[in-house]
């Protein structure tokens, strides 16, 4: 290399060292940028995780609400009840609310039919007989287009009378199912008629 050029570059190199103040400010700025990048990454990760949870929650709720396999002994039955109660709450007009309650009564009837089909031995037990009576009450009321509130009350009376009669027996799965059905029927929103 050219000796004059080499001399000038060395001379510039001695004068080109940054001050300690500049190096400290630059280090602080880099660490701030790193913190900003970290918080941005954390926010993106949290958002992605939240979206995955929401999608899974919506998917699970949709399955629990729409599937005929979700009966009182299914683990997702509680989610189904919550979604049904939310649907009843959203129904603001009396006609809309009546349609929703009627639809839910039809679902309860189908649930009972599914329970009895899955467990044929249940029909010989007292709880099975109660389930059959409740199912026939729901079916008859729906077919005859009775007031949903009256159908609900009649089904509740039948479940409660069966519980009083069978109080001495041990608690079985069927009794638990009856209690879940009873709670759901109790929690159905009452249809208010406009005067």
């Amino acid at each position: 290399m050219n000796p004059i050029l080499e001399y000038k570059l060395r001379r510039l190199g001695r004068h080109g060292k940054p001050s300690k103040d500049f190096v400290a400010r630059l280090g602080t700025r880099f660490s701030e940028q790193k913190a900003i990048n970290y918080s941005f990454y954390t926010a993106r990760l949290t958002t992605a995780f939240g979206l995955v949870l929401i999608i899974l929650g919506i998917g699970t709720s949709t399955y629990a609400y729409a599937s005929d396999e979700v009966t009182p002994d299914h683990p997702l039955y509680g989610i189904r009840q919550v979604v049904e109660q939310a649907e009843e709450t959203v129904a603001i007009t009396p006609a809309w609310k009546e349609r929703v309650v009627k639809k839910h009564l039809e679902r309860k009837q189908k649930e009972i039919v599914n329970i009895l089909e899955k467990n044929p031995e249940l029909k010989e037990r007292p709880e099975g007989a109660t389930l059959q009576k409740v199912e026939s009450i729901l079916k008859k009321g729906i077919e005859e287009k009775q007031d949903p509130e009256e159908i609900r009350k009649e089904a509740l009376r039948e479940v409660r009378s069966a519980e009083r009669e069978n109080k001495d027996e041990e608690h079985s799965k069927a009794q638990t199912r009856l209690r879940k059905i009873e709670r759901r029927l109790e929690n159905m929103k009452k249809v208010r008629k406009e005067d």
Side-chain angles (χ1 to χ4, degrees), residues 52-71:
V52 166
L53 285 178
I54 289 171
I55 290 169
L56 287 174
I58 290 171
T60 303
S61 299
T62 303
Y63 171 76
Y65 180 73
S67 176
D68 288 337
E69 297 299 314
V70 178
T71 57

Side-chain angles (χ1 to χ4, degrees), residues 130 134 152-167 178 182-183 185-187:
T130 303
V134 171
R152 185 184 78 83
K153 285 180 182 177
E154 191 176 343
L156 266 174
R157 276 193 296 269
E158 182 60 41
V159 171
R160 288 179 180 151
S161 71
E163 282 184 350
R164 283 191 297 271
E165 291 171 8
N166 300 325
K167 243 184 181 157
L178 279 174
E182 177 187 15
R183 267 187 259 126
L185 289 169
E186 284 175 346
N187 292 333

Side-chain angles (χ1 to χ4, degrees), residues 35-180:
I36 290 171
N37 287 344
Y38 180 74
S39 65
F40 179 70
Y41 174 75
T42 304
R44 283 178 43 186
L45 187 63
T46 304
T47 303
F49 185 68
L51 286 173
V52 166
L53 285 178
I54 289 171
I55 290 169
L56 287 174
I58 290 171
T60 303
S61 299
T62 303
Y63 171 76
Y65 180 73
S67 176
D68 288 337
E69 297 299 314
V70 178
T71 57
D73 52 350
H74 195 280
L76 295 178
Y77 190 72
I79 294 173
R80 181 181 202 154
Q81 288 181 320
V82 169
V83 173
E84 285 178 350
Q85 287 175 345
E87 185 180 19
E88 289 173 12
T89 303
V90 170
I92 49 178
T93 64
W96 185 10
K97 193 172 291 280
E98 189 173 341
R99 280 193 312 268
V100 168
V101 169
K102 183 180 175 197
K103 179 174 73 172
H104 291 171
L105 289 173
E106 289 171 357
R107 283 184 169 204
K108 297 301 151 233
Q109 188 241 338
K110 288 178 185 174
E111 287 173 10
I112 294 172
V113 168
N114 285 344
I115 290 171
L116 293 172
E117 284 177 359
K118 286 181 183 177
N119 304 310
E121 73 280 353
L122 189 62
K123 292 179 182 177
E124 281 78 46
R125 301 183 65 200
E127 297 87 2
T130 303
L131 284 172
Q132 287 176 326
K133 288 177 187 174
V134 171
E135 191 269 333
S136 67
I137 290 169
L138 293 173
K139 186 176 182 178
K140 179 183 172 194
I142 292 166
E143 285 175 355
E144 294 178 0
K145 298 183 181 179
Q146 292 178 359
D147 179 33
E149 186 63 24
E150 291 304 315
I151 300 170
R152 185 184 78 83
K153 285 180 182 177
E154 191 176 343
L156 266 174
R157 276 193 296 269
E158 182 60 41
V159 171
R160 288 179 180 151
S161 71
E163 282 184 350
R164 283 191 297 271
E165 291 171 8
N166 300 325
K167 243 184 181 157
D168 298 334
E169 292 183 29
E170 64 182 58
H171 296 303
S172 66
K173 271 184 155 182
Q175 288 175 326
T176 305
R177 290 181 197 124
L178 279 174
R179 271 191 230 100
K180 286 182 179 180

